[in-house]
Amino acid sequence: MELRPVRKTSASGAVFEQLIAELVAGGLEPGESLPAERALTESLSVNRGAVREALQRLAQAGLVEINHGEPTRALDYRQSAGLDLLGRLLFDRDGRLDIEVARSITEMRAAIGPDIARLAALRCRADMIPVFESIVDAMANAGGDLERLARIDLDFWDVLTDAADNIAYRLAFNSLRQTYEPMAGELTGVMAAELTDLDARRAIVAALHASDASAAESAARSLLARGSLAITEALAALEGGER
């Protein structure tokens, strides 16, 4: 592992960032021992408290296993980590997009979005319908500004996820949103067909108003398919260019 001394300010956070970057990049194989706390304090030029705090955060994230009296060992994050890791996996340490991770995120989005709409149609409160209508109106008034449409679209899905009243989907949406927002600027052009499809959003809102779960699911699936197809094609082009 190649570790660098860190500044004393936010020492535990800096230690955490270095260690998680190494673990995600494969600097340690699952089951392999991390350096001892003393070795980490010396190589990173921090105190033992900062190292211990960072290791605890890694354990909470499902990246390492801490057993007192034994070395701290790396875990296979594919088996033990949660969705919060997606953003870190999307780009490697050199800033290159991981195409497989991006494709996986796109597939997950296409899979859970329609079911969020289905549940929302079953559980949406009547007082939420005007909120959806105002969001769609705001998109109609965006004048084709894709960046503005992308921001409003996140609001649409945020409220739709609230209406679905499913905590697992809410947490998944939070993770997907945090992953998406840093690269929203690069994706708006790719997702233009989805972002400008107001008819599909109006169909979702109408289905919510009618408590028609099947129609809501179908409209959401149709809407998300537009963006998924465009992203998949863009990723395929990137993949072809790397060969």
Side-chain angles (χ1 to χ4, degrees), residues 104-122 132 153 156-166 168-170 172-174 176 191 194 200-201 204-205 207-208 212-225 228:
S104 297
I105 293 171
T106 302
E107 291 169 351
M108 180 181 177
R109 170 182 173 272
I112 70 173
D115 201 51
I116 286 174
R118 179 186 68 83
L119 291 176
L122 296 174
F132 285 107
D153 182 53
F156 180 87
W157 283 99
D158 184 73
V159 179
L160 193 65
T161 304
D162 275 346
D165 194 24
N166 181 298
Y169 281 158
R170 162 47 66 184
F173 173 81
N174 293 346
L176 289 174
M191 297 178 64
E194 179 180 317
R201 288 175 180 79
I204 293 172
V205 176
L208 298 182
D212 189 335
S214 178
E217 180 180 12
S218 177
R221 191 177 305 281
S222 174
L223 174 65
L224 293 173
S228 295

Side-chain angles (χ1 to χ4, degrees), residues 73-196:
R73 299 188 183 280
L75 295 175
D76 183 350
Y77 64 78
R78 294 171 182 81
Q79 302 295 324
S80 55
L83 286 174
D84 288 345
L85 198 60
L86 276 178
R88 296 181 182 275
L89 294 173
L90 190 56
F91 296 94
D92 65 19
R93 65 177 66 197
D94 296 320
R96 292 188 298 265
L97 178 71
D98 187 310
I99 291 175
E100 286 304 318
V101 173
R103 185 177 290 121
S104 297
I105 293 171
T106 302
E107 291 169 351
M108 180 181 177
R109 170 182 173 272
I112 70 173
D115 201 51
I116 286 174
R118 179 186 68 83
L119 291 176
L122 296 174
R123 300 170 179 173
C124 182
R125 302 189 314 272
D127 63 350
M128 299 183 78
I129 300 300
V131 178
F132 285 107
E133 292 173 340
S134 67
I135 291 174
V136 175
D137 286 344
M139 297 187 80
N141 294 326
D145 183 334
L146 292 179
E147 290 188 4
R148 185 179 174 192
L149 284 170
R151 291 193 297 271
I152 302 172
D153 182 53
L154 284 175
D155 293 337
F156 180 87
W157 283 99
D158 184 73
V159 179
L160 193 65
T161 304
D162 275 346
D165 194 24
N166 181 298
I167 186 60
Y169 281 158
R170 162 47 66 184
L171 296 179
F173 173 81
N174 293 346
S175 294
L176 289 174
R177 181 169 188 163
Q178 291 165 8
T179 302
Y180 166 78
E181 286 181 329
M183 54 185 300
E186 289 75 21
L187 284 177
T188 50
V190 175
M191 297 178 64
E194 179 180 317
L195 292 173
T196 56

Side-chain angles (χ1 to χ4, degrees), residues 198-242:
L198 299 186
D199 288 341
R201 288 175 180 79
R202 291 190 179 104
I204 293 172
V205 176
L208 298 182
H209 188 68
S211 300
D212 189 335
S214 178
E217 180 180 12
S218 177
R221 191 177 305 281
S222 174
L223 174 65
L224 293 173
R226 287 176 170 269
S228 295
L229 176 61
I231 293 172
T232 299
E233 290 176 347
L235 292 175
L238 282 174
E239 192 172 33
E242 291 179 357

